[in-house]
Short mmCIF file of all heavy atoms in Angstrom, two decimals:
data_model
loop_
_atom_site.label_atom_id
_atom_site.label_comp_id
_atom_site.label_asym_id
_atom_site.label_seq_id
_atom_site.Cartn_x
_atom_site.Cartn_y
_atom_site.Cartn_z
N MET A 1 -28.11 -2.23 0.22
CA MET A 1 -27.35 -1.72 1.39
C MET A 1 -27.40 -0.19 1.35
O MET A 1 -27.25 0.42 0.34
CB MET A 1 -25.91 -2.21 1.28
CG MET A 1 -25.07 -1.70 2.45
SD MET A 1 -23.37 -2.26 2.37
CE MET A 1 -23.56 -3.98 2.85
N VAL A 2 -27.67 0.39 2.49
CA VAL A 2 -27.70 1.82 2.61
C VAL A 2 -26.44 2.29 3.33
O VAL A 2 -26.09 1.77 4.42
CB VAL A 2 -28.95 2.31 3.39
CG1 VAL A 2 -28.93 3.78 3.62
CG2 VAL A 2 -30.23 1.84 2.64
N TRP A 3 -25.68 3.21 2.76
CA TRP A 3 -24.47 3.76 3.38
C TRP A 3 -24.75 5.00 4.15
O TRP A 3 -25.54 5.82 3.70
CB TRP A 3 -23.44 4.05 2.30
CG TRP A 3 -22.92 2.84 1.64
CD1 TRP A 3 -23.37 2.27 0.47
CD2 TRP A 3 -21.93 1.94 2.09
NE1 TRP A 3 -22.72 1.14 0.19
CE2 TRP A 3 -21.82 0.91 1.15
CE3 TRP A 3 -21.12 1.96 3.19
CZ2 TRP A 3 -20.87 -0.13 1.31
CZ3 TRP A 3 -20.18 0.92 3.36
CH2 TRP A 3 -20.10 -0.10 2.41
N SER A 4 -24.14 5.16 5.27
CA SER A 4 -24.30 6.35 6.08
C SER A 4 -23.00 7.08 6.06
O SER A 4 -21.97 6.61 6.52
CB SER A 4 -24.60 5.97 7.51
OG SER A 4 -24.57 7.09 8.34
N TYR A 5 -23.00 8.34 5.55
CA TYR A 5 -21.81 9.11 5.47
C TYR A 5 -21.38 9.58 6.85
O TYR A 5 -20.22 9.95 7.06
CB TYR A 5 -21.99 10.38 4.59
CG TYR A 5 -22.23 10.01 3.14
CD1 TYR A 5 -23.41 10.32 2.51
CD2 TYR A 5 -21.25 9.33 2.44
CE1 TYR A 5 -23.61 10.00 1.17
CE2 TYR A 5 -21.44 8.94 1.13
CZ TYR A 5 -22.62 9.31 0.49
OH TYR A 5 -22.81 8.97 -0.82
N SER A 6 -22.23 9.48 7.82
CA SER A 6 -21.89 9.91 9.18
C SER A 6 -20.83 8.98 9.78
O SER A 6 -20.18 9.33 10.72
CB SER A 6 -23.13 9.90 10.09
OG SER A 6 -23.67 8.63 10.18
N GLU A 7 -20.67 7.81 9.23
CA GLU A 7 -19.65 6.84 9.65
C GLU A 7 -18.26 7.26 9.18
O GLU A 7 -17.26 6.72 9.64
CB GLU A 7 -19.93 5.46 9.18
CG GLU A 7 -21.21 4.90 9.80
CD GLU A 7 -21.56 3.50 9.26
OE1 GLU A 7 -20.62 2.82 8.79
OE2 GLU A 7 -22.70 3.09 9.31
N GLN A 8 -18.15 8.22 8.29
CA GLN A 8 -16.94 8.75 7.76
C GLN A 8 -16.00 7.62 7.17
O GLN A 8 -14.80 7.62 7.42
CB GLN A 8 -16.18 9.55 8.84
CG GLN A 8 -16.97 10.76 9.25
CD GLN A 8 -16.25 11.56 10.33
OE1 GLN A 8 -15.11 11.33 10.62
NE2 GLN A 8 -16.92 12.55 10.84
N LEU A 9 -16.59 6.73 6.44
CA LEU A 9 -15.86 5.69 5.77
C LEU A 9 -15.35 6.18 4.46
O LEU A 9 -15.99 7.02 3.80
CB LEU A 9 -16.76 4.46 5.54
CG LEU A 9 -17.32 3.80 6.75
CD1 LEU A 9 -18.30 2.69 6.36
CD2 LEU A 9 -16.22 3.25 7.64
N THR A 10 -14.17 5.75 4.03
CA THR A 10 -13.63 6.11 2.74
C THR A 10 -13.14 4.87 2.03
O THR A 10 -12.96 3.80 2.66
CB THR A 10 -12.45 7.11 2.86
OG1 THR A 10 -11.42 6.49 3.62
CG2 THR A 10 -12.84 8.40 3.45
N VAL A 11 -13.01 4.97 0.74
CA VAL A 11 -12.58 3.86 -0.09
C VAL A 11 -11.35 4.33 -0.88
O VAL A 11 -11.30 5.43 -1.40
CB VAL A 11 -13.62 3.42 -1.11
CG1 VAL A 11 -13.10 2.36 -2.05
CG2 VAL A 11 -14.86 2.90 -0.40
N ALA A 12 -10.31 3.50 -0.91
CA ALA A 12 -9.12 3.70 -1.76
C ALA A 12 -8.81 2.42 -2.41
O ALA A 12 -9.07 1.32 -1.83
CB ALA A 12 -7.97 4.22 -0.92
N VAL A 13 -8.21 2.42 -3.60
CA VAL A 13 -7.89 1.22 -4.32
C VAL A 13 -6.45 1.22 -4.82
O VAL A 13 -5.87 2.24 -5.03
CB VAL A 13 -8.84 0.99 -5.50
CG1 VAL A 13 -10.26 0.81 -5.05
CG2 VAL A 13 -8.77 2.12 -6.50
N ALA A 14 -5.87 0.05 -4.95
CA ALA A 14 -4.62 -0.15 -5.61
C ALA A 14 -4.88 -1.20 -6.68
O ALA A 14 -5.33 -2.32 -6.38
CB ALA A 14 -3.56 -0.61 -4.65
N GLU A 15 -4.62 -0.89 -7.92
CA GLU A 15 -4.95 -1.77 -9.04
C GLU A 15 -3.70 -2.10 -9.87
O GLU A 15 -2.75 -1.34 -9.83
CB GLU A 15 -5.95 -1.12 -9.97
CG GLU A 15 -7.26 -0.72 -9.28
CD GLU A 15 -8.25 -0.08 -10.22
OE1 GLU A 15 -8.76 -0.83 -11.11
OE2 GLU A 15 -8.45 1.12 -10.14
N SER A 16 -3.78 -3.18 -10.54
CA SER A 16 -2.72 -3.60 -11.45
C SER A 16 -3.30 -3.91 -12.83
O SER A 16 -3.45 -3.02 -13.65
CB SER A 16 -1.93 -4.76 -10.90
OG SER A 16 -0.88 -5.13 -11.76
N LEU A 17 -3.68 -5.17 -13.03
CA LEU A 17 -4.14 -5.56 -14.34
C LEU A 17 -5.46 -4.91 -14.74
O LEU A 17 -5.80 -4.89 -15.91
CB LEU A 17 -4.32 -7.09 -14.36
CG LEU A 17 -3.02 -7.90 -14.25
CD1 LEU A 17 -3.31 -9.38 -14.18
CD2 LEU A 17 -2.07 -7.59 -15.41
N THR A 18 -6.17 -4.33 -13.82
CA THR A 18 -7.45 -3.66 -14.11
C THR A 18 -7.16 -2.24 -14.68
O THR A 18 -8.04 -1.56 -15.15
CB THR A 18 -8.34 -3.56 -12.89
OG1 THR A 18 -7.59 -2.92 -11.84
CG2 THR A 18 -8.85 -4.90 -12.50
N SER A 19 -5.91 -1.76 -14.58
CA SER A 19 -5.46 -0.53 -15.15
C SER A 19 -6.30 0.71 -14.79
O SER A 19 -6.48 1.62 -15.58
CB SER A 19 -5.35 -0.64 -16.68
OG SER A 19 -4.49 -1.66 -17.05
N GLY A 20 -6.82 0.71 -13.57
CA GLY A 20 -7.58 1.84 -13.10
C GLY A 20 -9.06 1.77 -13.35
O GLY A 20 -9.81 2.70 -13.08
N SER A 21 -9.55 0.64 -13.89
CA SER A 21 -10.98 0.49 -14.22
C SER A 21 -11.85 0.65 -12.96
O SER A 21 -12.92 1.29 -13.01
CB SER A 21 -11.28 -0.85 -14.85
OG SER A 21 -10.60 -0.91 -16.09
N LEU A 22 -11.44 0.06 -11.85
CA LEU A 22 -12.20 0.15 -10.60
C LEU A 22 -12.29 1.59 -10.15
O LEU A 22 -13.35 2.10 -9.81
CB LEU A 22 -11.67 -0.76 -9.57
CG LEU A 22 -12.36 -0.71 -8.23
CD1 LEU A 22 -13.84 -1.10 -8.33
CD2 LEU A 22 -11.67 -1.67 -7.24
N ALA A 23 -11.16 2.27 -10.11
CA ALA A 23 -11.12 3.68 -9.67
C ALA A 23 -11.99 4.56 -10.57
O ALA A 23 -12.68 5.44 -10.10
CB ALA A 23 -9.67 4.19 -9.65
N CYS A 24 -12.00 4.28 -11.85
CA CYS A 24 -12.81 5.02 -12.81
C CYS A 24 -14.30 4.85 -12.50
O CYS A 24 -15.02 5.85 -12.45
CB CYS A 24 -12.55 4.52 -14.22
SG CYS A 24 -13.43 5.39 -15.50
N GLN A 25 -14.71 3.63 -12.21
CA GLN A 25 -16.11 3.39 -11.90
C GLN A 25 -16.50 4.03 -10.57
O GLN A 25 -17.58 4.62 -10.43
CB GLN A 25 -16.38 1.87 -11.82
CG GLN A 25 -16.28 1.20 -13.15
CD GLN A 25 -17.32 1.70 -14.16
OE1 GLN A 25 -18.48 1.81 -13.83
NE2 GLN A 25 -16.89 1.98 -15.35
N LEU A 26 -15.62 3.90 -9.57
CA LEU A 26 -15.92 4.50 -8.26
C LEU A 26 -15.99 6.01 -8.37
O LEU A 26 -16.84 6.65 -7.77
CB LEU A 26 -14.89 4.05 -7.22
CG LEU A 26 -14.91 2.63 -6.85
CD1 LEU A 26 -13.70 2.29 -5.97
CD2 LEU A 26 -16.19 2.24 -6.12
N GLY A 27 -15.05 6.61 -9.10
CA GLY A 27 -15.02 8.06 -9.21
C GLY A 27 -16.18 8.65 -9.95
O GLY A 27 -16.50 9.81 -9.81
N ALA A 28 -16.82 7.85 -10.80
CA ALA A 28 -17.94 8.29 -11.55
C ALA A 28 -19.29 8.26 -10.73
O ALA A 28 -20.30 8.82 -11.17
CB ALA A 28 -18.14 7.46 -12.80
N ALA A 29 -19.25 7.64 -9.57
CA ALA A 29 -20.46 7.52 -8.76
C ALA A 29 -20.89 8.84 -8.16
O ALA A 29 -20.07 9.74 -7.94
CB ALA A 29 -20.22 6.55 -7.62
N THR A 30 -22.16 9.03 -7.93
CA THR A 30 -22.69 10.19 -7.31
C THR A 30 -22.02 10.44 -5.95
O THR A 30 -21.89 9.52 -5.15
CB THR A 30 -24.21 10.06 -7.12
OG1 THR A 30 -24.82 9.78 -8.42
CG2 THR A 30 -24.81 11.32 -6.52
N ASP A 31 -21.61 11.66 -5.71
CA ASP A 31 -21.00 12.08 -4.45
C ASP A 31 -19.71 11.33 -4.11
O ASP A 31 -19.36 11.17 -2.92
CB ASP A 31 -21.99 11.92 -3.26
CG ASP A 31 -23.20 12.84 -3.42
OD1 ASP A 31 -23.04 13.95 -3.95
OD2 ASP A 31 -24.30 12.42 -2.97
N ALA A 32 -19.00 10.84 -5.11
CA ALA A 32 -17.80 10.06 -4.90
C ALA A 32 -16.77 10.86 -4.09
O ALA A 32 -16.02 10.29 -3.30
CB ALA A 32 -17.20 9.65 -6.24
N SER A 33 -16.74 12.19 -4.26
CA SER A 33 -15.77 12.98 -3.51
C SER A 33 -16.00 12.90 -1.98
O SER A 33 -15.11 13.25 -1.22
CB SER A 33 -15.76 14.40 -3.97
OG SER A 33 -17.03 15.00 -3.78
N ASP A 34 -17.18 12.46 -1.61
CA ASP A 34 -17.48 12.35 -0.15
C ASP A 34 -16.87 11.11 0.44
O ASP A 34 -16.68 11.06 1.67
CB ASP A 34 -19.01 12.30 0.07
CG ASP A 34 -19.69 13.61 -0.22
OD1 ASP A 34 -19.01 14.64 -0.25
OD2 ASP A 34 -20.93 13.58 -0.42
N TRP A 35 -16.52 10.06 -0.38
CA TRP A 35 -16.08 8.82 0.20
C TRP A 35 -14.95 8.14 -0.56
O TRP A 35 -14.32 7.23 -0.03
CB TRP A 35 -17.26 7.82 0.34
CG TRP A 35 -18.02 7.65 -0.96
CD1 TRP A 35 -19.14 8.39 -1.33
CD2 TRP A 35 -17.74 6.77 -2.04
NE1 TRP A 35 -19.57 7.96 -2.57
CE2 TRP A 35 -18.70 6.99 -3.03
CE3 TRP A 35 -16.78 5.82 -2.23
CZ2 TRP A 35 -18.73 6.28 -4.23
CZ3 TRP A 35 -16.79 5.14 -3.46
CH2 TRP A 35 -17.78 5.34 -4.42
N PHE A 36 -14.64 8.60 -1.78
CA PHE A 36 -13.62 7.98 -2.56
C PHE A 36 -12.31 8.77 -2.42
O PHE A 36 -12.19 9.90 -2.90
CB PHE A 36 -14.02 7.88 -4.03
CG PHE A 36 -13.01 7.17 -4.90
CD1 PHE A 36 -12.45 5.96 -4.54
CD2 PHE A 36 -12.62 7.75 -6.11
CE1 PHE A 36 -11.49 5.33 -5.33
CE2 PHE A 36 -11.69 7.11 -6.91
CZ PHE A 36 -11.13 5.90 -6.52
N ALA A 37 -11.28 8.16 -1.76
CA ALA A 37 -10.05 8.86 -1.51
C ALA A 37 -9.14 8.88 -2.76
O ALA A 37 -8.34 9.80 -2.91
CB ALA A 37 -9.32 8.20 -0.34
N GLY A 38 -9.25 7.85 -3.57
CA GLY A 38 -8.40 7.79 -4.81
C GLY A 38 -7.82 6.42 -5.00
O GLY A 38 -8.22 5.46 -4.33
N GLY A 39 -6.85 6.36 -5.92
CA GLY A 39 -6.28 5.06 -6.22
C GLY A 39 -4.89 5.18 -6.82
O GLY A 39 -4.48 6.22 -7.21
N VAL A 40 -4.23 4.05 -6.90
CA VAL A 40 -2.93 3.93 -7.47
C VAL A 40 -2.98 2.81 -8.52
O VAL A 40 -3.49 1.71 -8.17
CB VAL A 40 -1.82 3.60 -6.41
CG1 VAL A 40 -0.47 3.32 -7.11
CG2 VAL A 40 -1.73 4.72 -5.44
N VAL A 41 -2.53 3.07 -9.73
CA VAL A 41 -2.39 2.03 -10.73
C VAL A 41 -0.92 1.62 -10.71
O VAL A 41 -0.07 2.39 -11.16
CB VAL A 41 -2.85 2.48 -12.12
CG1 VAL A 41 -2.63 1.33 -13.11
CG2 VAL A 41 -4.31 2.88 -12.07
N ALA A 42 -0.63 0.46 -10.19
CA ALA A 42 0.73 -0.05 -10.04
C ALA A 42 0.89 -1.20 -10.99
O ALA A 42 0.76 -2.36 -10.56
CB ALA A 42 0.96 -0.42 -8.60
N TYR A 43 1.26 -0.96 -12.19
CA TYR A 43 1.35 -2.02 -13.18
C TYR A 43 2.67 -2.75 -13.13
O TYR A 43 2.73 -3.95 -13.33
CB TYR A 43 1.12 -1.45 -14.59
CG TYR A 43 0.52 -2.42 -15.55
CD1 TYR A 43 -0.82 -2.74 -15.47
CD2 TYR A 43 1.28 -3.01 -16.52
CE1 TYR A 43 -1.38 -3.67 -16.34
CE2 TYR A 43 0.74 -3.92 -17.39
CZ TYR A 43 -0.60 -4.25 -17.28
OH TYR A 43 -1.10 -5.17 -18.15
N THR A 44 3.74 -2.04 -12.86
CA THR A 44 5.06 -2.71 -12.85
C THR A 44 5.44 -3.12 -11.43
O THR A 44 4.99 -2.57 -10.44
CB THR A 44 6.19 -1.77 -13.37
OG1 THR A 44 6.37 -0.71 -12.46
CG2 THR A 44 5.88 -1.28 -14.79
N THR A 45 6.35 -4.12 -11.35
CA THR A 45 6.82 -4.57 -10.05
C THR A 45 7.50 -3.44 -9.31
O THR A 45 7.35 -3.31 -8.09
CB THR A 45 7.81 -5.77 -10.22
OG1 THR A 45 7.06 -6.82 -10.85
CG2 THR A 45 8.34 -6.24 -8.91
N ALA A 46 8.21 -2.60 -10.01
CA ALA A 46 8.93 -1.50 -9.35
C ALA A 46 7.97 -0.54 -8.63
O ALA A 46 8.25 -0.08 -7.51
CB ALA A 46 9.75 -0.70 -10.41
N VAL A 47 6.85 -0.30 -9.23
CA VAL A 47 5.86 0.59 -8.59
C VAL A 47 5.18 -0.10 -7.44
O VAL A 47 4.95 0.45 -6.41
CB VAL A 47 4.82 1.12 -9.63
CG1 VAL A 47 3.70 1.88 -8.94
CG2 VAL A 47 5.49 1.96 -10.67
N LYS A 48 4.84 -1.40 -7.63
CA LYS A 48 4.21 -2.15 -6.58
C LYS A 48 5.06 -2.23 -5.31
O LYS A 48 4.60 -2.04 -4.22
CB LYS A 48 3.90 -3.57 -7.04
CG LYS A 48 2.81 -3.63 -8.09
CD LYS A 48 2.69 -5.06 -8.63
CE LYS A 48 1.78 -5.09 -9.84
NZ LYS A 48 1.74 -6.40 -10.51
N VAL A 49 6.37 -2.46 -5.52
CA VAL A 49 7.31 -2.56 -4.41
C VAL A 49 7.64 -1.17 -3.87
O VAL A 49 7.59 -0.90 -2.67
CB VAL A 49 8.56 -3.32 -4.82
CG1 VAL A 49 9.60 -3.31 -3.74
CG2 VAL A 49 8.21 -4.76 -5.17
N GLY A 50 8.00 -0.26 -4.74
CA GLY A 50 8.50 1.07 -4.36
C GLY A 50 7.45 2.00 -3.81
O GLY A 50 7.69 2.73 -2.82
N VAL A 51 6.28 2.04 -4.43
CA VAL A 51 5.21 2.98 -4.02
C VAL A 51 4.27 2.35 -3.02
O VAL A 51 3.98 2.97 -2.01
CB VAL A 51 4.45 3.49 -5.28
CG1 VAL A 51 3.27 4.32 -4.83
CG2 VAL A 51 5.36 4.23 -6.20
N LEU A 52 3.84 1.14 -3.26
CA LEU A 52 2.89 0.46 -2.41
C LEU A 52 3.48 -0.34 -1.28
O LEU A 52 2.79 -0.75 -0.36
CB LEU A 52 1.95 -0.40 -3.24
CG LEU A 52 1.12 0.34 -4.30
CD1 LEU A 52 0.31 -0.64 -5.11
CD2 LEU A 52 0.19 1.37 -3.65
N GLY A 53 4.76 -0.62 -1.35
CA GLY A 53 5.37 -1.44 -0.34
C GLY A 53 5.02 -2.89 -0.33
O GLY A 53 5.11 -3.59 0.70
N VAL A 54 4.62 -3.41 -1.47
CA VAL A 54 4.28 -4.82 -1.63
C VAL A 54 5.57 -5.66 -1.64
O VAL A 54 6.53 -5.29 -2.27
CB VAL A 54 3.44 -5.04 -2.91
CG1 VAL A 54 3.20 -6.51 -3.16
CG2 VAL A 54 2.16 -4.25 -2.91
N ASP A 55 5.54 -6.76 -0.91
CA ASP A 55 6.72 -7.67 -0.92
C ASP A 55 6.79 -8.31 -2.30
O ASP A 55 5.79 -8.80 -2.82
CB ASP A 55 6.59 -8.72 0.15
CG ASP A 55 6.70 -8.23 1.53
OD1 ASP A 55 7.42 -7.18 1.72
OD2 ASP A 55 6.11 -8.77 2.46
N PRO A 56 8.02 -8.37 -2.84
CA PRO A 56 8.19 -9.11 -4.14
C PRO A 56 7.80 -10.57 -3.93
O PRO A 56 8.07 -11.16 -2.94
CB PRO A 56 9.65 -8.95 -4.46
CG PRO A 56 10.14 -7.83 -3.61
CD PRO A 56 9.24 -7.79 -2.40
N GLY A 57 7.15 -11.16 -4.95
CA GLY A 57 6.75 -12.54 -4.85
C GLY A 57 6.02 -12.97 -6.10
O GLY A 57 5.87 -12.21 -7.04
N PRO A 58 5.49 -14.17 -6.07
CA PRO A 58 4.82 -14.73 -7.26
C PRO A 58 3.67 -13.84 -7.77
O PRO A 58 3.44 -13.74 -8.94
CB PRO A 58 4.35 -16.08 -6.85
CG PRO A 58 5.00 -16.38 -5.53
CD PRO A 58 5.52 -15.08 -4.98
N VAL A 59 2.90 -13.31 -6.83
CA VAL A 59 1.74 -12.49 -7.23
C VAL A 59 2.18 -11.22 -7.93
O VAL A 59 1.62 -10.75 -8.91
CB VAL A 59 0.83 -12.18 -6.05
CG1 VAL A 59 -0.33 -11.23 -6.43
CG2 VAL A 59 0.26 -13.49 -5.48
N VAL A 60 3.23 -10.64 -7.46
CA VAL A 60 3.75 -9.38 -8.01
C VAL A 60 4.49 -9.56 -9.32
O VAL A 60 4.36 -8.77 -10.20
CB VAL A 60 4.66 -8.67 -6.95
CG1 VAL A 60 5.29 -7.46 -7.54
CG2 VAL A 60 3.88 -8.33 -5.72
N THR A 61 5.23 -10.67 -9.41
CA THR A 61 6.07 -10.80 -10.59
C THR A 61 5.46 -11.71 -11.71
O THR A 61 6.05 -11.82 -12.78
CB THR A 61 7.43 -11.46 -10.18
OG1 THR A 61 7.19 -12.71 -9.57
CG2 THR A 61 8.21 -10.53 -9.22
N ALA A 62 4.34 -12.31 -11.42
CA ALA A 62 3.71 -13.20 -12.45
C ALA A 62 3.22 -12.41 -13.64
O ALA A 62 2.90 -11.30 -13.57
CB ALA A 62 2.60 -14.02 -11.81
#
Protein backbone atom coordinates (compact mmCIF):
# COMPACT_ATOMS: atom_id res chain seq x y z
CA MET A 1 0.00 0.00 0.00
CA VAL A 2 1.32 3.46 -0.87
CA TRP A 3 0.43 6.32 1.48
CA SER A 4 -0.04 9.84 0.23
CA TYR A 5 0.84 12.58 2.72
CA SER A 6 -1.22 14.99 0.66
CA GLU A 7 -4.31 13.39 2.21
CA GLN A 8 -3.18 14.79 5.59
CA LEU A 9 -4.03 11.61 7.47
CA THR A 10 -2.74 11.13 10.99
CA VAL A 11 -2.57 8.20 13.38
CA ALA A 12 -3.06 8.28 17.14
CA VAL A 13 -3.30 5.32 19.51
CA ALA A 14 -4.69 4.50 22.95
CA GLU A 15 -3.11 1.42 24.47
CA SER A 16 -3.52 -0.60 27.63
CA LEU A 17 -2.03 -4.07 27.91
CA THR A 18 0.43 -3.33 25.10
CA SER A 19 2.01 -0.70 27.40
CA GLY A 20 2.93 1.63 24.55
CA SER A 21 4.45 -0.99 22.24
CA LEU A 22 2.38 0.11 19.25
CA ALA A 23 3.23 3.79 19.76
CA CYS A 24 6.90 2.85 20.06
CA GLN A 25 6.84 0.99 16.74
CA LEU A 26 4.92 3.75 14.96
CA GLY A 27 7.17 6.46 16.35
CA ALA A 28 10.26 4.66 15.11
CA ALA A 29 9.04 4.67 11.49
CA THR A 30 10.59 6.93 8.90
CA ASP A 31 8.92 10.37 8.80
CA ALA A 32 6.65 9.42 11.72
CA SER A 33 6.40 13.08 12.74
CA ASP A 34 4.56 13.71 9.47
CA TRP A 35 1.67 11.40 10.36
CA PHE A 36 1.94 10.07 13.92
CA ALA A 37 0.10 12.35 16.37
CA GLY A 38 0.99 10.35 19.49
CA GLY A 39 -0.55 8.02 21.99
CA VAL A 40 -1.85 7.44 25.48
CA VAL A 41 -0.99 4.45 27.62
CA ALA A 42 -4.03 4.01 29.82
CA TYR A 43 -3.29 1.02 32.01
CA THR A 44 -5.62 1.70 34.93
CA THR A 45 -9.39 2.04 34.85
CA ALA A 46 -9.06 5.56 36.34
CA VAL A 47 -6.99 6.73 33.36
CA LYS A 48 -9.20 4.97 30.82
CA VAL A 49 -12.31 6.62 32.24
CA GLY A 50 -10.85 9.98 33.31
CA VAL A 51 -8.49 10.74 30.44
CA LEU A 52 -9.93 8.80 27.52
CA GLY A 53 -13.61 8.98 28.46
CA VAL A 54 -14.13 5.23 28.14
CA ASP A 55 -17.32 3.94 29.75
CA PRO A 56 -16.63 1.62 32.67
CA GLY A 57 -17.47 -1.97 31.82
CA PRO A 58 -16.15 -5.49 31.43
CA VAL A 59 -13.49 -4.59 28.87
CA VAL A 60 -12.12 -1.79 31.04
CA THR A 61 -12.23 -3.59 34.38
CA ALA A 62 -11.25 -7.11 33.34
